Amino acid sequence: MEAADAAVWQGAVLGGIVIWVVAASFLDVTFKLRSFLQPWVSHHVDIGVPFILQIQNYRFGFLDALFSGLSCVVSVPFYTGFLPLLFWSGHGKLARQMTLLIAFCDYTGNCIKDVVSAPRPPSPPVHRITATKDEEDNALEYGLPSSHTLNTVCLSGYLLHYVLYHTQIDGFHATYIGVPLVVLLVTLIGFARVYLGMHSVIDIIAGLLFGLGILAFWLSVDEYIDNFVVSGQNVISFWAGLSFLLLFAYPTPEIPTPSFEYHTCFNGVALGIVTGVQLTYHQFHSEFVPRLFTSEMKILVFAGRVLVGIPTILIVKFCSKALAKWTIPVVANTLGIPVKSSSYIPKLNPLVTGNKPKEGYFQKLLSPQDSFDVDTGIRFVQYIGLAWSVVDLVPSLFTYLSL
């Protein structure tokens, strides 16, 4: 009976997404929402320029370095590097919740960005400070909401919640120290994004409000999601179907941006983590595994895990990408699906390219003459392999090496 009930609600969820994709495509929901929201947001971006210029009048090298560094610390690449260490330190529940939460934040925030398709502050006159390649890529995305602000609200807020309710740290001290720290961090991140010329005030406010909404929602469902991931029915098949459909449910931006690529990566990460945890929960991820800074896991043991784990997941990432680059075009050709590649496989690129905006993914599914970008599939498979290795392959190596 339990398996039947699970199949019913899972089928309802996946079916609902399919219905939404079809309805949104035929009703042109994205265009209608953009027509309503974009002029209002763009107006507030324009009238916010003098405020940004006033802040940038106080620019100097130390503040440039400080705010650029702060932005890097709360960026998606930082979390991508930090989360494996959290898994390997024994804090499996916190690690998987943070992973799924950032995937949800990334998908939701980037969907809103590409639906609204509102510009960032114009440069010039605003001076846009991009100290890293990641920041240069971020500058190619649309502005509202600020992903850095949204992610900081959600992840720092959830971390504080976890410390208060799932650790032995005194709640009184954690609250009166943790809450001001979270508020300070969010404030600094919001100010940094304006100072760096990456966002207008309206983007920061939107990131804050959406972040609070997402955090409140996640705190109401996190235990249900975690129980489903570790002990639910049909978990892997359901999550695979969900991940695939989310690729098609993503809105089409006014012009292509890297936002969809970022979502694809974390969509793959979420599927890889869920798959690995579901298969190996009792071996590697239960509440009884050794944790860092306890008698069961000394700092040297954790250092050994890092030295073994980091090279391993990088090798798996490389191999997954190579395997996907070879298999996906072959499978597509076998099924008669026309394909192209934006960057990974140059020989698949069309001989003539124009400036015509990309069509929605559902339209591509319906139109045989259009071609699929295999880079999406390659990126998806690559990050599935990376995430699976973090929670399955690498912990198996730790067991073999007595780590």
Side-chain angles (χ1 to χ4, degrees), residues 53-281:
L53 294 176
Q54 186 176 1
I55 290 177
Q56 291 191 333
N57 284 335
Y58 299 95
R59 275 191 62 208
F60 65 97
F62 172 76
L63 288 180
D64 288 1
L66 173 64
F67 290 134
S68 294
L70 196 60
S71 294
C72 290
V73 168
V74 295
S75 65
V76 169
F78 172 80
Y79 292 126
T80 305
F82 169 73
L83 291 172
L85 306 185
L86 200 56
F87 275 107
W88 301 337
S89 70
H91 296 277
K93 183 173 184 176
L94 176 60
R96 58 182 176 266
Q97 282 294 317
M98 294 279 276
T99 303
L100 297 180
L101 177 55
I102 192 173
F104 184 62
C105 289
D106 187 72
Y107 186 80
T108 306
N110 286 348
C111 279
I112 297 170
K113 280 180 186 286
D114 283 351
V115 165
V116 179
S117 293
R120 291 180 182 268
S123 177
V126 172
H127 184 73
R128 191 169 293 159
I129 305 167
T130 53
T132 65
K133 178 63 167 63
D134 179 59
E135 282 286 77
E136 292 176 2
D137 292 339
N138 288 338
L140 299 176
E141 296 183 285
Y142 289 110
L144 183 140
S146 165
S147 296
H148 282 71
T149 306
L150 188 155
N151 292 341
T152 303
V153 169
C154 289
L155 295 175
S156 61
Y158 187 82
L159 181 60
L160 177 61
H161 164 81
Y162 186 88
V163 169
L164 291 174
Y165 292 97
H166 297 281
T167 68
Q168 303 300 317
I169 300 175
D170 180 68
F172 178 84
H173 292 93
T175 300
Y176 282 91
I177 295 175
V179 171
L181 285 177
V182 169
V183 172
L184 177 62
L185 178 62
V186 172
T187 303
L188 285 174
I189 292 300
F191 182 81
R193 302 311 288 167
V194 175
Y195 174 91
L196 296 172
M198 295 294 287
H199 285 287
S200 299
V201 174
I202 187 67
D203 303 336
I204 305 301
I205 294 173
L208 176 63
L209 295 178
F210 281 118
L212 290 172
I214 291 172
L215 177 60
F217 168 75
W218 195 263
L219 291 178
S220 68
V221 301
D222 63 329
E223 291 295 334
Y224 298 104
I225 293 174
D226 198 64
N227 291 335
F228 173 68
V229 169
V230 303
S231 60
Q233 301 284 334
N234 314 317
V235 175
I236 298 175
S237 58
F238 168 75
W239 211 284
L242 177 66
S243 299
F244 180 75
L245 289 177
L246 288 178
L247 296 175
F248 288 87
Y250 192 88
T252 305
E254 197 167 55
I255 60 173
T257 72
S259 296
F260 179 71
E261 298 175 7
Y262 298 153
H263 147 65
T264 302
C265 295
F266 258 99
N267 195 6
V269 166
L271 177 56
I273 292 296
V274 168
T275 300
V277 169
Q278 168 70 194
L279 294 174
T280 63
Y281 174 71

Side-chain angles (χ1 to χ4, degrees), residues 276-297:
V277 169
Q278 168 70 194
L279 294 174
T280 63
Y281 174 71
H282 294 290
Q283 296 98 309
F284 306 130
H285 305 290
S286 72
E287 295 302 304
F288 306 103
V289 299
R291 292 187 176 180
L292 184 60
F293 302 124
T294 65
S295 59
E296 296 175 310
M297 188 192 298

